[in-house]
Amino acid sequence: DPGLRNPDHLSRQMIGWQYRLRVRFPFLRSLSLTLIERALPGIYLFVTARTKHFDGILAGEIEDGIEQVVILGAGADSRAYRFAEELDGTPVHEVDHPATGAWKQQQVRRIFGALPEHVRYVPIEFQTESLDHALSQAGAKQELRTCFLWEGVTPYLTPEAVDETLAAIASFALGSSVVFDYFYLDAIEHPERYPDGQKYFAYLR
């Protein structure tokens, strides 16, 4: 059902070969989903809804004439490639840990044969390095209206790292925006208050 399916059609190619094998065959795909839902109840629909929501925001920002995109903790995010036509050469800065960035570039070369000209890969260790400095070194321009996508990252950072990242984002041109997801602190401190909360955090540990 296209209305329910995750819109990231490149995800199947972006993931590692072990996962590609799992989703290739209907039986293994169904079994994997059952096991994931058992370990992390609700995660499949949550991630699908999150992908659709972030996609919608990026599409709106492109329509409004965004001049630059920054993806923080890019991982296997495929928006720079899925939205390449709509972005029409708008620079996209993919910020991530050096090892993850190297893996991502390998995957992109495998899928597309080469790295796209409009994408810049920005290595950073979020806990110890300055986002300002990393982006400046990569050629990101603070005077451009920028859309920051920050998906699935904040729960893994210290409050100080989150504050520093938001401060760096605030230094960009008027009209810039940021979209991010987060956990309620209460859910982390008292998972027993939430359905399957303890099971979820036990899995993360």
Side-chain angles (χ1 to χ4, degrees):
D1 179 354
L4 296 175
R5 190 173 59 230
N6 192 302
D8 187 354
H9 61 273
L10 287 177
S11 61
R12 193 176 290 194
Q13 295 165 269
M14 196 72 75
I15 54 180
W17 69 267
Q18 303 96 321
Y19 293 106
R20 288 203 301 277
L21 188 63
R22 274 194 217 171
V23 299
R24 187 174 175 187
F25 303 103
F27 168 73
L28 286 177
R29 189 165 61 241
S30 177
L31 178 63
S32 295
L33 183 57
T34 300
L35 294 174
I36 288 166
E37 280 296 299
R38 198 172 288 166
L40 298 166
I43 194 72
Y44 175 75
L45 291 178
F46 167 71
V47 170
T48 299
R50 183 175 70 182
T51 301
K52 284 175 178 280
H53 185 63
F54 274 65
D55 278 8
I57 287 175
L58 177 59
E61 290 293 324
I62 292 170
E63 211 171 286
D64 287 345
I66 207 73
E67 299 168 295
Q68 185 171 245
V69 177
V70 175
I71 304 175
L72 300 170
D77 191 299
S78 68
R79 291 184 178 93
Y81 320 97
R82 287 191 291 122
F83 285 86
E85 194 175 316
E86 295 90 334
L87 285 163
D88 190 28
T90 300
V92 178
H93 299 269
E94 293 200 352
V95 183
D96 215 326
H97 186 278
T100 309
W103 169 85
K104 175 68 164 292
Q105 290 172 66
Q106 248 183 352
Q107 302 300 91
V108 171
R109 282 194 189 95
R110 180 178 55 77
I111 296 166
F112 300 104
L115 301 177
E117 285 183 20
H118 73 291
V119 182
R120 287 135 198 195
Y121 301 91
V122 185
I124 189 174
E125 174 47 71
F126 276 106
Q127 301 286 21
T128 57
E129 292 180 61
S130 154
L131 178 61
D132 278 332
H133 178 71
L135 286 173
S136 172
Q137 290 289 100
K141 296 176 179 164
Q142 289 186 330
E143 65 271 20
L144 296 182
R145 197 156 75 85
T146 305
C147 174
F148 287 84
L149 302 175
W150 201 11
E151 183 179 7
V153 179
T154 61
Y156 302 98
L157 301 180
T158 63
E160 293 77 19
V162 170
D163 288 345
E164 284 166 17
T165 302
L166 290 173
I169 289 169
S171 68
F172 278 72
L174 190 67
S176 294
S177 60
V178 58
V179 54
F180 60 93
D181 58 319
Y182 57 91
F183 275 90
Y184 285 114
L185 182 61
D186 189 61
I188 295 167
E189 293 180 341
H190 301 285
E192 72 281 356
R193 296 176 183 173
Y194 298 85
D196 289 310
Q198 286 168 302
K199 180 189 283 190
Y200 188 89
F201 285 103
Y203 179 88
L204 287 183
R205 277 196 296 275

